[in-house]
Amino acid sequence: MTHFFKPLLAVAALCATAITTPTATLAQDWTPPGPITMYIGFAAGGGADTQARLIAQGIEEKYSWTVIPQQAPGNSGLTLAAELAKAPADGTAIGMVVSETMSYSSQASGDPAFGYENFTMLATTAEFQMGLVAMANGNFDSWDKVKGAAEAGTPIRFATASDRQADMAWHLGQKVGIDFNIVEVRGGKGVMDGLRGGDVDIGWVAGAQSKPVQQGEMVNIARGIEAPLADSPDAPMITELGSDFLLDGYFMFIAPGGLEPAAREALGAAIRDVAEDGATDANGLLTKAFGGAAVRTGEDLDAYMTQANADAAELMKAVAE
């Protein structure tokens, strides 16, 4: 059975009625009680780090709130989650991770403290442009070449940047009969550095590959999401290659658990405002590298995360069998 990890449908009336709800009224009056520390769960200098910093910049410009970016990479976003768990739930601490941090990675950790119900989901910013990436004009610049090399006995080094990506690489290999040599690196930048240095042959990247793909340096030999990739619309979907699962997800902001509704609404609205405003640098990056802003907040985001956690459990079960 093929699983596409489709999120639950949002309640259509939610957005239409949000501006008249008491929570929305309170949110309009909410301001942070002090500077906001924005933890960033990605290595400095990559596309996700730049995205987070441009969101921080846009919030400062639009709302005059002080936002202080602070790096907290590692452990598939759970290092950041551990920092947030110690922070006050008053809107002065938020963090940028990916949706799998609060689903696949939190479950894989085996620590119930990392369960998504212990955190406040604020807003997504962009969907993954998840590609299986290789150097252009090389020995692995098409799926047929990868299969041919494997059949000839050539080891294929597969770079991954998270637990879910590693398990998906292993699962894909099992389905197509390739025993990939899985190499764990730090973030999409680490994958691309490995490709450039010849240390790996292929790897998952969630959008940071856009510029090198456009420039002809790299190529998406397959896609891990259902929708065609913005830069490589003809790249085959991994379920067409044999995988039972896709590798979709979002970049997103979270906060400590127990955040008051007005603060959650206000912070989510601020992130949406910056991400969707075509005049902001953040929107420009989201459009160029990630196919545009894709913002989910409130009950819609809660529904997505509930489904993402159910899907994560299904994938882990399949990998364990």
Side-chain angles (χ1 to χ4, degrees), residues 168-239:
M168 283 289 294
W170 182 88
H171 172 76
L172 176 61
Q174 292 300 299
K175 298 297 290 188
V176 299
I178 300 176
D179 187 16
F180 289 119
N181 180 6
I182 298 173
V183 181
E184 297 187 22
V185 301
R186 179 176 291 184
K189 183 176 184 297
V191 175
M192 294 190 297
D193 286 347
L195 291 171
R196 291 184 174 112
D199 298 317
V200 298
D201 303 309
I202 59 177
W204 301 120
V205 189
Q209 77 274 30
S210 179
K211 185 175 181 180
V213 168
Q214 291 174 7
Q215 293 177 338
E217 179 191 13
M218 297 182 183
V219 59
N220 291 302
I221 64 174
R223 70 181 194 269
I225 60 176
E226 185 172 7
L229 296 172
D231 296 320
S232 307
D234 295 330
M237 193 161 51
I238 57 173
T239 50

Side-chain angles (χ1 to χ4, degrees), residues 90-112:
D90 61 0
T92 60
I94 64 176
M96 186 184 184
V97 292
V98 289
S99 52
E100 70 184 62
T101 298
M102 293 282 94
S103 53
Y104 200 87
S105 298
S106 63
Q107 291 186 43
S109 75
D111 187 345

Side-chain angles (χ1 to χ4, degrees), residues 124-148:
T124 65
T125 57
E127 287 189 89
F128 293 167
Q129 285 284 292
M130 184 64 72
L132 183 53
V133 182
M135 296 302 294
N137 303 314
N139 294 330
F140 306 96
D141 63 357
S142 72
W143 181 250
D144 286 340
K145 285 187 178 181
V146 170
K147 286 185 63 180

Side-chain angles (χ1 to χ4, degrees), residues 8 33 52 84 97 104 112 116 123 151 165 175 182 202 214 250 269 277 280 283 286 294 318:
L8 300 177
L84 277 186
V97 292
Y104 200 87
Y116 80 106
E151 290 169 357
Q165 289 184 13
K175 298 297 290 188
I182 298 173
I202 59 177
Q214 291 174 7
Y250 289 90
D277 184 350
T280 67
N283 178 270
L286 294 174

